[in-house]
Amino acid sequence: MSNVVIKSTDDIEKMRASGKLLAQVFAALDAYIRPGLSTMDVNDFVEDYIVNTLQARPASKGQYGFAYVLNSSPNNVVCHGVPNKEVIIQDTDIINIDITLEKYGFITDSSKMYVMPKAPDNAKTLVDTTIHALWEAIRLVKPDTRLGDLGAAIQSKVEKLGYSVVREYCGHGIGRQMHEEPNVLHYGSKNTGMKLKPGMTFTIEPMINEGTYRTKTLNDGWTVITTDGGLSAQAEHTLLVTENGVEVLTLRDEEHALYKNYLGK
């Protein structure tokens, strides 16, 4: 635990504020994103909303030299897709939009899958499975749960259905920095890893593939795709370990039924 930043009461209030603003970004994007737009159109819309409407900072822009405010990852793109005016959203696409936001010095991170109107059934099922795998892990978050339990829950959920969990990328601690300790793997064994403690904040963000879990990075140095061309989906939230459970800091309004189903609240 020596490198894990336990958040103070004041820190947590600021992270709550950041998370609520990030949920607002997705609400605005819900009304905007559609087939025919480029992924750069989406990037520019989100940047304008974060900066000018919310008076916040898009934390991904400039991080590690990345030039944009979000990752746009359609179909066989696993993660880190780069917005591009030449990449046009098709009515059969699924696309992950991954956004970070900083307010009051604290960063939150979340992603959402957007399913276009004519996406095939296998794509819809993959997306649904990925979302539920994330929530299977969220429901376990509480003091003294081990990190390995989270990964094991995700892996068990998806592999039973023939999918695979990407190994190379993981969730992470988050707060004043985008990436803090600990790393949060999305596969693994029960009763292994660090015990969770109140005040920890981190992301869970499983990337689930239709076929092999293996990936490769394109020549742009960012875009990660499946090696077999199969579809990939991701879901992500920023979480707080509370004294007796979990708080989803980036919870969106449309997820209250999921929240009640998995957490009983």
Side-chain angles (χ1 to χ4, degrees):
M1 291 288 293
S2 59
N3 295 320
V4 173
V5 180
I6 300 297
K7 307 305 188 294
S8 69
T9 300
D10 183 61
D11 294 342
I12 290 167
E13 284 302 317
K14 290 174 179 176
M15 289 200 71
R16 282 193 183 112
S18 176
K20 287 177 181 178
L21 291 180
L22 184 48
Q24 286 182 231
V25 177
F26 282 102
L29 184 56
D30 290 349
Y32 175 76
I33 194 168
R34 61 189 182 275
L37 295 175
S38 73
T39 55
M40 188 64 78
D41 291 331
V42 175
N43 176 84
D44 293 348
F45 172 84
V46 169
E47 180 167 21
D48 178 72
Y49 190 83
I50 291 174
V51 173
N52 296 315
T53 300
L54 301 181
Q55 282 78 55
R57 184 178 77 86
S60 294
K61 189 171 185 178
Q63 180 84 6
Y64 309 123
F66 190 71
Y68 306 102
V69 306
L70 55 81
N71 294 124
S72 52
S73 302
N75 302 322
N76 70 322
V77 179
V78 175
C79 61
H80 302 163
V82 179
N84 188 326
K85 65 181 180 181
E86 305 298 329
V87 176
I88 306 300
I89 300 171
Q90 305 298 312
D91 61 6
T92 54
D93 284 350
I94 58 172
I95 182 168
N96 182 266
I97 303 297
D98 189 345
I99 306 171
T100 63
L101 180 149
E102 181 188 350
K103 188 72 173 181
Y104 307 120
F106 285 87
I107 299 169
T108 49
D109 186 359
S110 185
S111 80
K112 178 177 178 177
M113 292 299 302
Y114 286 90
V115 179
M116 294 299 113
K118 296 182 180 179
D121 288 344
N122 64 302
K124 294 176 183 177
T125 301
L126 173 64
V127 170
D128 187 63
T129 300
T130 302
I131 291 167
H132 284 278
L134 169 63
W135 281 90
E136 289 283 0
I138 290 174
R139 78 192 306 173
L140 298 178
V141 174
K142 62 182 179 181
D144 294 328
T145 292
R146 291 188 179 273
L147 282 176
D149 295 348
L150 309 183
I154 292 167
Q155 186 176 13
S156 174
K157 171 76 174 180
V158 305
E159 289 185 352
K160 285 177 182 176
L161 298 173
Y163 301 120
S164 62
V165 181
V166 172
R167 282 9 183 208
E168 294 94 332
Y169 305 95
C170 61
H172 51 88
I174 190 168
R176 290 189 182 275
Q177 303 297 321
M178 176 88 74
H179 296 105
E180 299 178 351
E181 294 294 330
N183 288 333
V184 181
L185 302 183
H186 304 121
Y187 63 97
S189 301
K190 292 181 180 179
N191 301 314
T192 63
M194 177 186 294
K195 285 186 178 182
L196 303 182
K197 301 296 181 186
M200 291 176 65
T201 52
F202 56 85
T203 71
I204 305 177
E205 48 184 294
M207 288 152 257
I208 308 302
N209 293 351
E210 261 191 326
T212 178
Y213 64 80
R214 299 188 184 281
T215 68
K216 63 180 178 181
T217 303
L218 299 184
N219 290 336
D220 63 13
W222 289 103
T223 306
V224 178
I225 65 171
T226 58
T227 59
D228 61 3
L231 295 175
S232 185
Q234 182 184 15
E236 177 183 14
H237 275 304
T238 297
L239 310 168
L240 164 70
V241 184
T242 66
E243 292 293 334
N244 54 13
V246 61
E247 183 176 337
V248 184
L249 295 174
T250 48
L251 186 72
R252 302 185 297 270
D253 283 347
E254 84 267 13
E255 295 179 298
H256 285 295
L258 271 171
Y259 189 86
K260 184 175 182 180
N261 181 53
Y262 278 96
L263 301 179
K265 301 178 183 179

